[in-house]
Amino acid sequence: MAQAVLDDAIRSDGSPPRPCTVVLKFGGVRRRSDSPTWRRDSSRHCRLLGRRVVDVVSAMGGTTDELLALARAVSDQPPTRELDVLLSAGERISCALVAMAVRDLGVEAISLAGSQAGILTDGAHTKARIREITPGRVVAALDRDRIVLVAGFQGVSPDREITTLGRGGSDTTAVAVAAALRADACEILTDVDGVYTADPRLVPDARKLGRIGYEDMLELAGAGARVLALRAVDFARLHGVALHVRSSFGDADGTRIDGGRDEAPLAGLAHAADEPLYRLRANAETVCALLAAGNVGCDAVVQRGEDVVVAVSPEERDRAARALAGAEEVTGLGVVSLVGREATTTATVERSLGALAAIGLAPTLVHGQGRRLALYLAADHVPACARALHEALGLAAPA
């Protein structure tokens, strides 16, 4: 994709190419013991992609978990404000080191914290949302032919407090910066080479998708696919930013995510091996109000007689437990979700349940809404469920 962008920037009359702005986001998975070499390799990659390059940088692999462990070692309940101050340091460290590596290659570069890059958020600590980007300083640096390294995952609130954006926040930063700059390309470079019809580590014959629409990608991200953060996809959809997800270890094409029409009736499936469920005696309206007051995101709220069942991601477990004080937590469950415009049709539900019955599995809860059909079952049955559904619904790669 990046080369195509550069080719398109060359005018047919032979005049010099117009300035081409490319926003990249490199994941932090490999940035550990071999980090100096990796940074130099990634820096060379940045240099080749365009004349105006912004690289949104994640923390080095494992850094965020280490910082969280430090916080919990000194405090049973670390204040969220102080957590944000602490966790944002990981990206700033990595960002500065990458800028040093770029300069060693003879290319001017500058590192910017989220606040310096003009990333303005609301005040929700550890889970802030980007409200606005004022990229004046980024543009000024690009105009001076500098590569700009922006620390992902963070911003600043109206009260000038440091905030972080939650899991996958660097993806969201990259998309937001691309939207603010009206960039020619936004590339998410990670340790996988695109979006698949299922996790290939779980389903060996999963097929890589050449493209997928925003709506289906939103559902896959929300259902547990960790290729892209949910908020990043939502931001891209709202602002019309086309994304390209591909491997940081090669130049092969990955998966394009855009607003085009989804052709396939089923895009794929995603899974989560740990899906907390809460059950309480109430009505759905009351439960939704409690979740909203606690700033808790949920995957499903299902009324079953006089009880309500709430499904949340593992990241929301603590918030949900506080918001739904007294609720019974159902543990040991996972979920497999089918995504696509026909995911919740009667035919798909029947085929899905039939495929599971054939291998002796019966979901604890089945919930269909919009473009997603979620099947909750014992966590140790998730791999078998995913493989059975992938085969029965014809999602496997051609032989």
Side-chain angles (χ1 to χ4, degrees):
M1 175 181 172
Q3 186 59 52
V5 169
L6 295 178
D7 292 342
D8 290 344
I10 300 174
R11 298 174 182 172
S12 59
D13 61 3
S15 60
R18 62 178 173 80
C20 179
T21 302
V22 180
V23 175
L24 307 171
K25 182 265 178 177
F26 282 97
V29 176
R30 285 276 305 274
R31 293 179 180 180
R32 227 18 176 173
S33 60
D34 60 346
S35 54
T37 299
W38 197 93
R39 287 193 191 91
R40 284 180 169 80
D41 289 345
S42 65
S43 301
R44 291 189 183 97
H45 201 67
C46 289
R47 188 178 180 185
L48 292 173
L49 280 174
R51 295 168 62 184
R52 295 164 65 87
V53 175
V54 179
D55 180 4
V56 173
V57 183
S58 298
M60 292 184 287
T63 298
T64 302
D65 289 340
E66 291 173 6
L67 293 174
L68 279 170
L70 283 172
R72 289 167 180 156
V74 301
S75 172
D76 292 335
Q77 291 188 322
T80 55
R81 179 195 181 276
E82 304 308 331
L83 270 180
D84 276 354
V85 173
L86 177 68
L87 297 182
S88 64
E91 277 68 22
R92 295 199 305 275
I93 291 169
S94 188
C95 196
L97 290 171
V98 176
M100 294 175 193
V102 171
R103 292 177 69 91
D104 277 356
L105 296 171
V107 179
E108 287 295 314
I110 184 172
S111 64
L112 299 175
S115 57
Q116 293 172 310
I119 299 170
L120 310 177
T121 74
D122 61 18
H125 285 296
T126 74
K127 199 179 175 183
R129 290 182 178 272
I130 295 175
R131 296 303 188 200
E132 182 183 1
I133 291 190
T134 55
R137 191 165 180 184
V138 175
V139 172
L142 292 172
D143 288 343
R144 296 178 62 184
D145 295 327
R146 289 180 169 182
I147 288 178
V148 181
L149 290 307
V150 175
F153 177 64
Q154 62 189 261
V156 62
S157 75
D159 296 329
R160 303 193 65 78
E161 296 282 2
I162 295 172
T163 55
T164 62
L165 308 180
R167 188 181 67 82
S170 292
D171 290 351
T172 308
T173 302
V175 175
V177 169
L181 296 176
R182 298 183 180 180
D184 298 274
C186 182
E187 299 220 339
I188 310 295
L189 295 108
T190 183
D191 59 342
V192 297
D193 58 356
V195 180
Y196 281 74
T197 52
D199 186 338
R201 295 169 297 184
L202 200 69
V203 182
D205 57 354
R207 173 170 45 91
K208 187 175 76 172
L209 301 171
R211 70 157 298 278
I212 186 173
Y214 293 131
E215 300 300 331
D216 281 345
M217 192 65 235
L218 271 172
E219 294 294 348
L220 286 173
R226 294 182 177 269
V227 179
L228 268 177
L230 176 64
R231 284 187 181 179
V233 183
D234 194 35
F235 207 103
R237 178 182 62 86
L238 290 172
H239 296 275
V241 178
L243 307 177
H244 186 214
V245 178
R246 62 187 183 88
S247 173
S248 59
F249 307 124
D251 295 326
D253 284 341
T255 302
R256 182 178 174 86
I257 301 162
D258 57 30
R261 183 173 178 268
D262 291 309
E263 300 296 335
L266 293 175
L269 60 86
H271 76 282
D274 177 21
E275 185 80 355
L277 282 184
Y278 293 89
R279 182 186 294 118
L280 66 162
R281 185 63 56 90
N283 61 66
E285 183 178 357
T286 298
V287 170
C288 288
L290 291 172
L291 294 172
N295 194 23
V296 180
C298 66
D299 293 335
V301 177
V302 182
Q303 186 83 51
R304 304 183 78 180
E306 295 182 345
D307 291 342
V308 174
V309 177
V310 179
V312 301
S313 67
E315 291 82 7
E316 297 285 0
R317 176 181 266 116
D318 292 343
R319 290 178 189 268
R322 289 194 294 270
L324 304 174
E328 173 194 2
E329 182 177 358
V330 183
T331 59
L333 292 181
V335 60
V336 177
S337 298
L338 291 168
V339 169
R341 68 172 185 271
E342 294 186 9
T344 57
T345 63
T346 301
T348 299
V349 175
E350 288 180 351
R351 289 174 64 190
S352 300
L353 295 179
L356 296 185
I359 59 172
L361 297 182
T364 299
L365 174 67
V366 178
H367 177 64
Q369 184 174 0
R371 303 171 78 92
R372 189 199 309 185
L373 176 68
L375 300 100
Y376 297 84
L377 67 170
D380 57 356
H381 292 159
V382 164
C385 174
R387 288 190 285 269
L389 294 180
H390 196 266
E391 180 179 359
L393 298 169
L395 295 171

